[in-house]
Amino acid sequence: MERKYWYVLMHINGWAVREGEGILAAGAARQFRTKEEALEFARFCARAAHAATGALTGVRIQGSDARWREGWSYGLDPVAASG
C-alpha cells in the first residue's frame, strides 16, 4: 500500500500544501502566508485522511533551502524498523 502525502512547499508568495501519492504530487496547491500555517493544514489533512480511511498518510516538508526535512507519518509503516 502506497502512502499518501501532503507536501509543504516553498511558494512564490509564501508556502503551499500539495496533495499527492508520490514525490511528483499533482494535486492542486493551497497557499499560505507562513510555513506554520501550511504545516498545520497539512498535518490536519493527513490525520483526517488516516482516521477516515485507515490509509497510510504523511507530511513531507521542504525547507527554505529547498531540501526535504523530516515530516510526520500516520498509520503503521509497511517497512518494519530494524534494531
Side-chain angles (χ1 to χ4, degrees):
M1 177 184 280
E2 193 167 331
R3 185 177 301 274
K4 185 172 188 174
Y5 283 101
W6 279 261
Y7 295 90
V8 177
L9 309 162
M10 291 183 307
H11 190 272
I12 195 163
N13 293 322
W15 294 85
V17 174
R18 185 174 297 253
E19 177 185 346
E21 294 184 4
I23 196 69
L24 300 175
R30 182 165 173 182
Q31 298 176 21
F32 297 89
R33 290 185 323 152
T34 68
K35 184 177 180 180
E36 290 74 25
E37 291 172 331
L39 280 171
E40 183 179 330
F41 178 75
R43 290 182 68 197
F44 171 81
C45 291
R47 283 192 308 261
H50 172 68
T53 66
L56 301 173
T57 62
V59 175
R60 299 284 315 268
I61 306 161
Q62 184 180 52
S64 57
D65 61 357
R67 292 186 177 196
W68 291 103
R69 306 287 185 233
E70 290 186 32
W72 289 268
S73 60
Y74 304 93
L76 296 175
D77 200 330
V79 178
S82 62

